[in-house]
Amino acid sequence: KIADGGIYDHLEGGFSRYTVDPEWKVPHFEKMLYDNAQLISLYAMAYQKTGNEKYKNVIDKSLDFIKKNLTHPDGSFYSSLDAETEGEEGKYYVWTEKEINEGLGAGPDLEIFKYTYGIREGGNWEKGKNVLFTIEDVKSTAKKFKKPESEITQSLNNSRNKLLQLKSNRKKPKLDDKILTAWNALMIRAYTDASAALGNEEYLNSAIKAADLIRNRMWDPQKGLFRNYKDGQKSINGFLEDYSFTIDAFIRLYELSFDESYLLFAKQLTDITIQNFSDPNNLFFYFNSKEDKQLISRKMDFEDQVTPSANSVMADNLYRLGLYFYNNEYLQRSKKMILSACENFGEGQTEFYSNWTRLYITLLKPYYEVAVVGTNSKQLRNDLAKSYLPYIILLGGTTEGTLELLKDKLQEGNTFIYVCRNKVCKIPVQDAKEALKLIN
């Protein structure tokens, strides 16, 4: 339903920041990197779960929007596009009926488009303007016009392309071109999730390119992680969300690449976070480092808002890294953080603890550790990654690597999938479908 609404850009892809009505029709037209990143990850999971082609289209179009509008030439990501153009909110995105009539020309394509998107002479918004949102789906439109669904889909694609061409002549909204580590990490995670769901190597390469920029440019072994970058300058020390989101993205990158350097960097950042952001009398982490004198005071943030709270992401990171590295201190701190946060799950409060609630499930239904080892590990890993598997960690490669769980798993000339829980493995299999049976 969100993808049907006006909050989704039906021509260029991507999502606006929020809507101003309960039916998601009229957006506040600003487009933020962090919203799009999280929604792309969400639609990737939805596609894994359902195989719905609509979700695949949302992913592809939204990543195309990111590539064309919010990507620096070096592969990192800008922050946002403004809502206004020439002092008018939404001017770049909305249409009068006359503009659509002239842009598409008389004929069945015009009528199909106007019927699908509810285009009115007086507009469906203000000042006679129309926001594009889906009033009728392809099935009902096909029934109305007595045409095959494939023909309706092609007609709508043709119309959208014509309007896109017209839209390209409009003045674009202003770009906020600062590069923020935390938001870039969310986008890296989005590209990686999209690659997993769709089997798209190009998306994984984009994630790797951006991740390497964080590791090589935003990271200083003496000073730690930086938060911001623009015009060759970085000036703000990384906050907890910069560390936690980067750790999360690099864990996910390891799962889709089996490059241990990403996992080891995630662990390195985790140890620095524990050292510099912890309170000796508290389980949770401060928002800023003890070395950071830029802020007047130090605070702790627990609530999941437009992004998950950095503390909840760290709890998740600690749990997964604890499994990877057999680190019981990580695991115990994660569990204690989750249980402590659960004390806030009172009446009317749950929506502010959505990520904490998700993590609580891991205590009830622990992760599987799924190791894929051998010459064909890449293909079998990718086969597994196409499925919706929210409570597994993936590890492996063509060699055993350094992780303890991979020890003695390599069998020369074969590739095996080991499905394990609490370090106890079931009989290995050589087919992804058989592994999925063991997991499910």
Side-chain angles (χ1 to χ4, degrees), residues 390-406:
Y391 298 112
I392 74 166
I393 59 166
L394 274 171
L395 63 160
T398 55
T399 65
E400 287 187 348
T402 65
L403 297 173
E404 188 68 26
L405 192 61
L406 298 179

Side-chain angles (χ1 to χ4, degrees), residues 25-83:
K25 289 184 177 179
V26 180
H28 173 59
F29 291 91
E30 187 177 18
K31 286 182 175 179
M32 310 297 296
L33 182 67
Y34 62 77
D35 290 318
N36 281 279
Q38 292 176 101
L39 282 160
I40 289 164
S41 288
L42 175 67
Y43 279 89
M45 290 181 233
Y47 182 72
Q48 287 173 318
K49 181 73 175 173
T50 66
N52 188 332
E53 284 296 307
K54 177 179 179 179
Y55 302 154
K56 179 182 184 297
N57 292 336
V58 169
I59 296 165
D60 286 331
K61 284 189 70 172
S62 296
L63 286 174
D64 188 55
F65 159 76
I66 295 292
K67 183 178 180 179
K68 290 176 178 175
N69 296 277
L70 291 180
T71 303
H72 188 284
D74 66 14
S76 54
F77 307 107
Y78 300 127
S79 291
S80 67
L81 284 176
D82 201 352

Side-chain angles (χ1 to χ4, degrees), residues 179-299:
I179 293 163
L180 298 177
T181 299
W183 298 5
N184 270 247
L186 288 171
M187 198 65 235
I188 291 165
R189 175 74 196 244
Y191 263 111
T192 311
D193 288 341
S195 172
L198 306 184
N200 188 316
E201 193 80 13
E202 183 184 333
Y203 290 163
L204 182 61
N205 290 337
S206 294
I208 289 170
K209 190 175 183 180
D212 288 345
L213 284 167
I214 287 182
R215 187 163 53 177
N216 298 327
R217 182 172 69 192
M218 306 303 286
W219 163 249
D220 183 310
Q222 276 71 50
K223 298 179 181 178
L225 202 59
F226 283 89
R227 176 169 179 78
N228 64 319
Y229 182 85
K230 182 176 177 179
D231 300 331
Q233 301 296 315
K234 46 196 179 190
S235 57
I236 303 172
N237 297 325
F239 297 125
L240 182 62
E241 67 176 16
D242 298 298
Y243 281 85
S244 61
F245 292 172
T246 300
I247 293 164
D248 172 71
F250 275 66
I251 295 172
R252 186 64 171 144
L253 256 184
Y254 167 73
E255 290 190 305
L256 269 293
S257 68
F258 287 165
D259 181 342
E260 277 193 12
S261 70
Y262 294 121
L263 197 62
L264 292 171
F265 186 63
K267 185 179 185 301
Q268 184 180 8
L269 292 183
T270 298
D271 289 336
I272 290 168
T273 305
I274 291 170
Q275 179 182 339
N276 292 337
F277 289 81
S278 292
D279 179 342
N281 301 312
N282 197 312
L283 288 166
F284 298 96
F285 297 95
Y286 284 111
F287 186 72
N288 51 319
S289 166
K290 67 180 180 182
E291 307 294 333
D292 188 357
K293 309 302 180 187
Q294 295 176 115
L295 298 183
I296 295 170
S297 63
R298 301 182 78 192
K299 65 171 185 173

